[in-house]
DNA sequence: AGATTTGTGG
DNA sequence: TTCACACGTTCGT
DNA sequence: GAACGTGTGTCTCCACAAATCTGG
């Protein structure tokens, strides 16, 4: 992409200093004495050394070769490294293990460094060469010494990496955003809606909340690493430790519950049902209770399974959960000697289509075939309705309620997908729904499209949904239908943002449209798709399932 | 040698 | 370092 | 039909270079 904005040569340091100022103002009181000392030490460094430190911190290390560290804006690298070392902001390597060798040196360098011990041209890949070096069983000092001729400079790592991570965590409130957000916005790659920040309410109430978040994050990393290494034995142990945690701060509960669910699911596959159950019991996030029922059923614990089913049906966390319980309950009751209950089957409007196989997806082939009967057919899945929803409720989504906007780089409020999103904005949403019902969506939504275009929002997809499609959809879909769809999205934004049909077919007159879910041979409706189809049925929204088979079979 | 993956920086 | 979807297999009714 | 596992495209950017892999 062509560069349109000129950034200062040390833009990254400016960004980091901005982050520091913000965090210090908001959370300065939560930092420990040691952490404040590191910050102070950093600020006392020379300008160029500060630049170097931030450059290193933002690259993938942890180790760096001096010869691979070169920046136009940093004059005397040698002096800067000395300064970092002297101030305990970096340290030199004293020996390297084979894995570190792997990421520091090229295959060719390693080959020639170990030419004396290992035959040349014998290893088909770098991984094989590394494995061979590992079997030499050299000390880490010896390993580093061997590479001395490949690297004339020093090998160093920046220190206090965890503290820098802490600063970013305090700024963003999560681990997946970082300093790159700043530059992406600065050069115009991403744009965020200028909602007003309400910094009265802090995400982390106290230091304990921060520590708890980081503890959960460490567990998540352990889980991830164990899966990557296929270290199955580690999972039950990890599960038992995780179940002992007493997580209580709102800022980490959601992540804790998700982690419990993910790990417990893995433990189920290993038939570690006891640990899995205890993790699910700690989780307040779907599908924790559903999974508990399934484990109880698998164990033949019919009575407990039935009791939990009834509890779910009575007070469900979401529709999917209630549906699962209704599906399982008759099975369990039959085992308990109960009566056979018949469940009514879904009767969706269906349609069949025979077309030849092609080089594109079944959805695109079906769309092409249908375009003979319709003015236009679009393959949109969730994108269209989600975009329309975002446009319709933009101002309500970005309402500056306390504690929902922590920094300027959010695509929606913190509680967007939490229970109570609608309740907390009840009056505003109510008023907006009335405006939409009584106004013309085909005017309002294209207007909104132009006004908010390219601002990042969890709902809108500016790339795939253009203004014309928004206009056409709103002209052909009756207001009442769209508002009915919006109501359901408002009811449970998390659960209902998916499951929309693949295609929308548009005619030429208002009301002349259809939502079409394409199903190829062997495919079946998913639960979320069924829920939307049932709702469309109740609301009189035209939708159908198109079963495709290949003519050449 | 060409294709693919990874790291980097703005 | 996910999420939503399609696709393939197995099992029980 | 129900439940489960797995593969795929896509992640809030894109250009460029270096390193590595691949297959002949
Ligand atoms: Mn689909
Ligand atoms: Mn489909």
């Amino acid at each position: 992409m062509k560069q349109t904005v000129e950034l200062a040569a040390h833009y990254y340091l400016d960004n980091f200093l901005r982050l520091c100022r913000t965090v210090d103002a908001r959370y300065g009181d939560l930092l420990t004495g040691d952490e404040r000392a590191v910050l102070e030490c950093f600020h006392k460094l020379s300008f160029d050394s500060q630049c170097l430190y931030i450059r290193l911190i933002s690259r993938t290390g942890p180790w760096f070769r001096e010869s691979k560290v070169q920046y136009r804006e940093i004059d005397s690298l040698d002096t800067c490294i000395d300064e970092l070392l002297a101030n305990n902001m970096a340290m030199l390597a004293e020996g390297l293990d084979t894995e570190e060798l792997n990421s520091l040196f090229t295959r060719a360098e390693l080959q020639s460094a170990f030419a004396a011990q290992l035959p040349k041209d014998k290893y088909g890949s770098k991984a094989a060469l590394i494995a061979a070096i590992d079997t030499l069983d050299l000390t880490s000092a010896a390993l580093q010494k061997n590479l001395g001729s490949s690297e004339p400079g020093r090998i160093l790592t920046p220190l206090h990496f965890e503290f820098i991570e802490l600063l970013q965590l305090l700024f963003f409130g999560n681990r997946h955003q970082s300093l790159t957000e700043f530059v992406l916005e600065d050069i115009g790659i991403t744009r965020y809606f200028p909602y007003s920040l309400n910094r009265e309410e802090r995400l982390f109430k106290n230091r304990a909340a921060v520590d708890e978040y980081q503890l959960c994050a460490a567990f998540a990393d352990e889980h991830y690493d164990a899966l990557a290494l296929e270290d199955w034995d580690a999972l039950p142990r990890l599960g038992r430790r995780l179940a002992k945690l007493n997580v209580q701060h709102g800022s980490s509960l959601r992540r804790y519950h998700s982690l419990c669910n993910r790990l417990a699911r893995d433990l189920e596959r290993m038939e570690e049902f006891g640990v899995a159950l205890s993790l699910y019991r700690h989780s307040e996030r779907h599908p924790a209770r559903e999974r508990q029922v399934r484990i109880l059923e698998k164990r033949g614990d019919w009575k407990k399974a039935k009791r939990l089913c009834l509890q779910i049906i009575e007070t469900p966390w979401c529709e999917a959960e209630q549906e699962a319980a209704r599906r399982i309950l008759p099975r369990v009751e039959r085992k308990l000697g109960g009566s056979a209950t018949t469940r009514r089957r879904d009767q969706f409007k269906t349609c069949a289509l025979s077309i030849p196989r092609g080089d594109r997806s079944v959805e695109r082939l079906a769309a092409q075939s249908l375009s003979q009967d319709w003015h236009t057919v679009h393959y949109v899945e969730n994108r269209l309705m989600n975009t329309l929803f975002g446009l319709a409720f933009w101002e309500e989504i970005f309402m500056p309620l306390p504690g929902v906007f922590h920094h300027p780089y959010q695509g929606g409020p913190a509680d967007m997908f939490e229970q109570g999103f609608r309740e907390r904005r009840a009056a505003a949403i109510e008023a907006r729904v009335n405006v939409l019902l009584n106004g013309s969506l085909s005017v309002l939504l294209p207007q909104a499209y132009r006004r908010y275009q390219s601002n990042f929002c969890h709902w809108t997809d500016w790339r795939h949904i253009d203004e014309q499609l928004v206009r056409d959809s709103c002209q052909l879909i009756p207001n009442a239908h769209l508002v009915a769809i919006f109501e359901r999205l408002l009811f449970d934004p998390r659960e209902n943002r998916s499951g929309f049909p693949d295609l929308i077919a548009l005619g030429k007159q208002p009301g002349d449209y259809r939502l079409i879910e394409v199903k190829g041979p062997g495919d079946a409706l998913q639960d979320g798709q069924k829920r939307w189809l049932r709702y469309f049925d109740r609301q009189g929204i035209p939708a159908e399932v198109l079963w495709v088979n290949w003519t050449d079979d």
Side-chain angles (χ1 to χ4, degrees), chain A residues 102 107 118 122-135:
Chain A
N102 186 16
R107 194 177 165 183
L118 296 170
K122 199 190 153 187
Y123 305 99
S125 68
K126 191 179 182 187
L129 176 59
I130 288 294
I133 293 173
D134 203 40
T135 61

Side-chain angles (χ1 to χ4, degrees), chain A residues 363 379 381 500-502 517-519 523 526 529:
Chain A
E363 293 89 351
Y379 177 30
E381 263 174 356
F500 287 101
D502 294 312
E517 171 56 37
V518 179
K519 284 298 167 198
D523 196 1
Q526 298 174 17
Q529 295 172 333

